[in-house]
Amino acid sequence: MLTTEETEIIKGTLGRVPNPTETHVFDAMWSEHCSYKSSKHWLKKLYTEGKHVISGPGENAGVVDIGDGDKIVFKMESHNHPSFIEPYQGAATGVGGIMRDIFTMGARPIANLNSLHFGSTNDKRVIDGVVKGISDYGNCVGIPTVSSKCYFSDCYTQNPLVNAMSVGYTNKEIFTSVPDRKGVVVYVGAKTGRDGIGGAIMASEEFEEGEDKRPTVQVGDPFYEKLLLEASLELFETGAVIAAQDMGAAGLTSSITEIAIKGNYGIEIDLSGVPLREEGMEPWEILLSESQERMLFILDPHAMINERVMKIFKKWDLDCFVIGKLTDNNNFKVTVKDKTVCDIPLKALEAPVLERRLYPKKGDINFTPFVPSIIPDFNMDWVWEQYDSQVMGNTIHGPQKDPAIVRIPNSKKGIAITTMSDASLCDYNPTKGIASIIENCYNKLKDVGAEPLGITNCLNFGNPENENVMYDFAKTVLSMAETCRKLEFPVVSGNVSFYNETSSKGIMPTPVIGGVGLML
């Protein structure tokens, strides 16, 4: 929720009190989940450049060059909070969301990975639900899950971590969310409902025991995702696409405003053109719904009379509607038919960056030697058996081996991919912990003859308003920057998940990284 101070800043910027729809928009866009207001200052220090990097942090996914016009696109994201509330749908929609990040860039997903942190091996509700959600979604879409790792500690009992990674491949053009010219705003995919409303805000707050947050969890449909994947890749071939963005956190609002801000345009949309599956939805509900399997495209103004474009949507039986256009006025204007319900300068939606002071960590200083946590007896074979690791026919090494190895379609190349985490060491010493994780990932790729290309990450932490949490986070990022620069192993994409706390009981610092290497 917006603080009193933030509300006053917004009033001053607008020169008036925002109306209810505008207030909901600000609440979502200024949330930690959407704005990265606590982490942005530190993330700018990461090492993000390298000889293979085509696109780094800031896009839907990172892109690296593997020669001959071939490109690997990859990203890791968290779906922690929804997976505690409703484990099956929380995990399933996490997989769906990360795959959309890949094909939004014009690449076909070729492998999925995950890193899971649970409280106990006996927590059947969360473990069974998460594993089934991940397997059902990935298996139905037809993308192999080639790596899955599980970790256990009491701190994750009410704060499980579900970090999903997807890797894609293309030898064609990369598409971004940055428009280089004006076009029409086209909504493609599933209808909009009330599921997931408030999801971004929910992921930016601590939980309290007994709260029912289930309405904020999205509901996925992997078969619809498959249609959206194929239609999107065909649409990119038409030459009509100017920019693309999937609808994730904060739904339509975030997707639309990100595109406009990045392109330095304004944007106007009419919500009466948005296909709905529920009656009586308020404008703010439509704007903030996080219904799944939806995409936003900026298309050439003449695209919708292009027979080739329209045939694609008909072929895949997808809803497709023009709901607005890019403008020159740098405003976010929303109407319902002829009634204006939101009119905000786009720059006002960019939350102030919080340069939280870095205080020395409080509490007892631990001079005892580090003792690795005890690994519980847990049958990973049961987990791996849920996943189809061989679909698509390119998997050389699957979940039983680390790193996984996947053949690049129609070539003699392959990629080695893995995820790494060591929360106990990061809790003991965040600087040494993240350095060790990155070095181990780098060496694991080298050990199978792969050239390390880059990493993605999920930085999972507690409440950033807690000085100790912010200290651990900053030390982690600074050490990550130093280690990656030393190894020339750039960060090309990533995600920050704060507020992994319930009733003020937070998780250990848990950075998770995913590494990719090229095999020739």
Side-chain angles (χ1 to χ4, degrees):
M1 299 292 288
L2 292 168
T3 65
T4 302
E5 182 182 356
E6 287 173 334
T7 301
E8 291 304 314
I9 292 173
I10 291 167
K11 287 180 184 177
T13 302
L14 297 180
R16 58 180 174 82
V17 176
N19 67 36
T21 298
E22 292 168 338
T23 300
H24 281 290
V25 167
F26 274 109
D27 201 10
M29 294 304 294
W30 282 34
S31 69
E32 190 70 58
H33 192 71
C34 289
S35 71
Y36 280 54
K37 57 190 176 186
S38 294
S39 59
K40 192 176 288 186
H41 169 76
W42 297 103
L43 296 177
K44 290 178 181 178
K45 302 179 185 296
L46 289 173
Y47 173 69
T48 60
E49 299 177 353
K51 61 182 180 180
H52 296 286
V53 178
I54 295 174
S55 178
E59 265 305 328
N60 287 292
V63 185
V64 292
D65 181 6
I66 60 171
D68 307 311
D70 294 331
K71 307 166 194 74
I72 296 297
V73 182
F74 61 104
K75 173 85 177 286
M76 181 187 286
E77 274 203 346
S78 62
H79 232 224
N80 303 336
H81 297 79
S83 297
F84 175 61
I85 300 165
E86 214 301 308
Y88 180 87
Q89 291 293 351
T93 53
V95 173
I98 195 62
M99 287 196 291
R100 284 196 300 279
D101 283 337
I102 302 304
F103 67 76
T104 298
M105 303 287 289
R108 179 178 292 278
I110 59 171
N112 288 339
L113 306 84
N114 58 73
S115 177
L116 312 174
H117 292 70
F118 302 117
S120 163
T121 58
N122 296 319
D123 193 350
K124 300 286 286 180
R125 181 189 79 91
V126 176
I127 295 173
D128 290 1
V130 165
V131 171
K132 185 169 175 55
I134 291 172
S135 63
D136 281 0
Y137 205 102
N139 294 353
C140 289
V141 178
I143 309 301
T145 298
V146 299
S147 176
S148 180
K149 297 179 180 177
C150 294
Y151 306 85
F152 298 89
S153 175
D154 288 344
C155 71
Y156 306 115
T157 299
Q158 293 184 297
N159 302 285
L161 304 182
V162 175
N163 292 178
M165 177 177 171
S166 192
V167 182
Y169 160 77
T170 185
N171 60 0
K172 298 173 183 175
E173 181 184 355
I174 291 294
F175 289 84
T176 72
S177 56
V178 184
D180 60 2
R181 62 190 186 278
K182 289 186 291 186
V184 293
V185 181
V186 179
Y187 174 118
V188 178
K191 291 179 170 59
T192 295
R194 288 190 169 92
D195 53 312
I197 291 176
I201 300 165
M202 173 269 292
S204 304
E205 299 174 340
E206 285 186 31
F207 285 165
E208 294 295 333
E209 291 188 53
E211 282 187 288
D212 187 357
K213 298 271 191 177
R214 281 174 295 179
T216 63
V217 177
Q218 309 89 338
V219 178
D221 182 344
F223 297 105
Y224 213 98
E225 176 104 345
K226 175 64 173 175
L227 302 180
L228 195 58
L229 161 61
E230 300 299 340
S232 296
L233 294 181
E234 285 191 25
L235 184 62
F236 288 129
E237 296 277 352
T238 65
V241 178
I242 297 171
Q245 181 72 45
D246 82 300
M247 293 192 220
L252 197 55
T253 296
S254 180
S255 303
I256 286 174
T257 57
E258 278 185 33
I259 284 177
I261 289 170
K262 287 179 178 178
N264 198 28
Y265 290 108
I267 196 159
E268 293 180 3
I269 62 167
D270 183 353
L271 295 182
S272 62
V274 175
L276 305 178
R277 67 167 181 260
E278 297 186 44
E279 296 181 359
M281 290 185 70
E282 296 290 336
W284 69 269
E285 291 180 307
I286 300 171
L287 285 169
L288 298 183
S289 166
E290 295 182 14
S291 293
Q292 295 294 284
E293 293 86 40
R294 302 180 302 160
M295 293 279 287
L296 197 74
F297 292 98
I298 305 299
L299 299 186
D300 182 274
H302 303 293
M304 299 311 287
I305 59 173
N306 182 326
E307 188 175 330
R308 185 182 174 196
V309 170
M310 295 311 297
K311 276 185 176 179
I312 292 171
F313 300 128
K314 289 178 181 177
K315 171 184 174 181
W316 296 104
D317 194 23
L318 291 172
D319 281 328
C320 164
F321 297 94
V322 175
I323 62 170
K325 62 183 179 180
L326 294 181
T327 67
D328 291 318
N329 64 10
N330 295 113
N331 269 29
F332 176 41
K333 184 176 180 180
V334 183
T335 60
V336 180
K337 295 184 178 177
D338 295 325
K339 181 183 178 182
T340 299
V341 295
C342 176
D343 196 351
I344 302 171
L346 278 163
K347 287 294 181 185
L349 291 179
E350 298 184 74
V353 176
L354 301 178
E355 295 187 28
R356 299 186 187 275
R357 287 185 60 189
L358 196 58
Y359 295 94
K361 196 167 182 179
K362 296 177 180 177
D364 296 332
I365 299 175
N366 189 356
F367 292 106
T368 61
F370 172 68
V371 178
S373 58
I374 298 173
I375 300 174
D377 183 21
F378 183 71
N379 182 13
M380 282 302 298
D381 287 338
W382 170 82
V383 175
W384 296 331
E385 287 168 0
Q386 311 304 308
Y387 307 131
D388 187 340
S389 62
Q390 298 299 319
V391 65
M392 298 183 81
N394 292 313
T395 305
I396 298 172
H397 288 167
Q400 290 82 0
K401 293 192 177 181
D402 190 28
I405 299 176
V406 177
R407 182 172 36 243
I408 299 302
N410 305 313
S411 81
K412 295 182 179 180
K413 302 171 188 173
I415 53 170
I417 42 183
T418 187
T419 64
M420 290 277 178
S421 176
D422 192 339
S424 295
L425 183 55
C426 290
D427 188 41
Y428 178 79
N429 186 317
T431 299
K432 291 182 179 178
I434 188 62
S436 173
I437 293 169
I438 295 169
E439 288 166 357
N440 286 340
C441 179
Y442 182 92
N443 291 331
K444 191 174 283 287
L445 296 175
K446 294 281 282 187
D447 286 346
V448 295
E451 177 190 0
L453 299 176
I455 65 172
T456 183
N457 64 65
C458 268
L459 305 180
N460 306 280
F461 287 79
N463 188 338
E465 299 159 47
N466 181 314
E467 293 172 6
N468 285 354
V469 170
M470 208 59 216
Y471 175 89
D472 286 339
F473 178 81
K475 289 296 183 181
T476 296
V477 174
L478 293 174
S479 181
M480 180 182 289
E482 180 182 349
T483 307
C484 288
R485 184 173 285 106
K486 178 183 71 175
L487 296 173
E488 296 184 347
F489 198 25
V491 177
V492 300
S493 60
N495 167 251
V496 176
S497 176
F498 278 130
Y499 293 97
N500 291 288
E501 295 197 5
T502 299
S503 300
S504 300
K505 296 176 183 177
I507 63 167
M508 293 185 283
T510 313
V512 178
I513 71 161
V516 176
L518 173 63
M519 304 185 73
L520 297 174

